Amino acid sequence: MGRPRIGVTSWHHPDREERWEYVRDNYTRSVYRAGGLPIIFPMPSAEEAVLEEYLAGVDGLLFTGGEDVHPKHYGESVRAGCGEIDPERDEFELGLAARALERGIPTFGICRGIQLLNVACGGTLFQDLKERPGTRPEHRTRREERAHLRHGVRILPDTRLREIVGADEVKVTSTHHQLINRLGEGLRVSALGDDGTIEAVEKPDHPFFLAVQWHPERMADHHPDQLALFQSFVRSASQRR
């Protein structure tokens, strides 16, 4: 049967003369190490026919990190503290997410991915850490410290995440300034940060729908519990084939 094919969302990166579509290789490497075949998704269009063609060729979807989701998608205007936005990426990924929810396509979200999937389920976001009282600065790790474990995450009992990780607490590295505010419909919180921030969500009635606020792809080479997230995701995708 071969490896299950995992669609991996990409970024737009502007330079002086042309625009790139790219993704960091620790995402694709983690998918491959977990037994999947990563397929990077460029964003030529968010038209229905394009989304359908993409989904026809994969067994699971990985929503990666990146820019902020435009607040219009959860009924708000842009406020001070909201960062860079890519409207094309929002439309493309929200279209993919809607179809993944509807069809039970195994789905894994990381950083922006958890925010995007929460919005796709009708939830809202804090547009910046400062909007949530008591949020600690460890969530926004500086570039030179991103390889280090920065803060604790408490894994809630009786969740898929607890089953995968096999522990009630892990140390993680994060790089984000937005957070889940109102939880999306049908989602369940499966992990909380030391300061009470929502660090992971899952959808119990979905074959595999898990998203985390931290960056397991940066940890998977040296921390088996983080590679286990990719392995569980890829196993679910292989069962859908």
Side-chain angles (χ1 to χ4, degrees):
M1 293 290 291
R3 293 171 177 259
R5 294 174 178 260
I6 305 298
V8 181
T9 61
S10 62
W11 291 268
H12 281 136
H13 176 72
D15 68 12
R16 293 179 181 177
E17 298 180 357
E18 57 189 6
R19 190 166 69 166
W20 304 351
E21 291 184 287
Y22 75 107
V23 64
R24 291 200 318 272
D25 72 346
N26 48 15
Y27 286 105
T28 53
R29 187 174 66 248
S30 296
V31 167
Y32 189 80
R33 284 191 63 207
L37 184 68
I39 309 293
I40 298 173
F41 279 7
M43 295 171 272
S45 167
E47 293 180 0
E48 182 175 356
V50 173
L51 298 176
E52 293 293 339
E53 287 283 353
Y54 272 127
L55 293 177
V58 297
D59 307 297
L61 290 171
L62 172 59
F63 289 86
T64 59
E67 309 87 355
D68 293 350
V69 179
H70 198 300
K72 71 179 182 180
H73 294 296
Y74 48 94
E76 296 181 7
S77 57
V78 175
R79 294 193 293 273
C82 189
E84 184 179 353
I85 293 168
D86 184 342
E88 292 176 65
R89 184 177 183 187
D90 287 346
E91 296 293 339
F92 180 75
E93 292 187 359
L94 286 168
L96 290 175
R99 288 161 176 78
L101 285 162
E102 178 184 312
R103 301 174 191 182
I105 298 171
T107 300
F108 185 26
I110 294 174
C111 195
R112 167 190 159 92
I114 190 175
Q115 298 159 12
L116 185 285
L117 293 173
N118 186 63
V119 170
C121 292
T124 66
L125 305 175
F126 290 110
Q127 293 186 34
D128 189 70
L129 295 175
K130 296 183 179 67
E131 293 188 353
R132 182 185 179 277
T135 303
R136 297 177 184 172
E138 288 87 351
H139 296 280
R140 200 167 191 172
T141 305
R142 292 177 297 182
R143 181 175 296 276
E144 63 270 22
E145 298 178 332
R146 289 178 183 176
H148 303 295
L149 305 183
R150 295 284 293 160
H151 65 89
V153 169
R154 179 166 58 92
I155 311 298
L156 301 186
D158 302 318
T159 59
R160 180 188 287 259
L161 182 60
R162 172 73 75 88
E163 180 182 342
I164 294 169
V165 173
D168 57 8
E169 186 172 349
V170 295
K171 289 284 189 179
V172 301
T173 182
S174 299
T175 311
H176 65 98
H177 78 105
Q178 294 199 320
L179 305 163
I180 289 179
N181 185 356
R182 187 183 73 242
L183 194 64
E185 183 178 353
L187 298 182
R188 176 184 180 180
V189 176
S190 49
L192 295 169
D194 294 336
D195 55 4
T197 59
I198 295 174
E199 288 283 344
V201 298
E202 55 192 60
K203 200 169 189 300
D205 61 351
H206 193 280
F208 189 99
F209 190 97
L210 175 66
V212 300
Q213 187 60 79
W214 66 89
H215 280 277
E217 80 285 358
R218 291 179 179 155
M219 305 162 60
D221 286 346
H222 304 290
H223 298 275
D225 57 347
Q226 300 302 311
L227 180 60
L229 297 174
F230 290 93
Q231 291 170 327
S232 182
F233 166 52
V234 169
R235 279 196 301 271
S236 181
S238 68
Q239 293 166 6
R240 188 175 182 271
R241 302 193 74 181

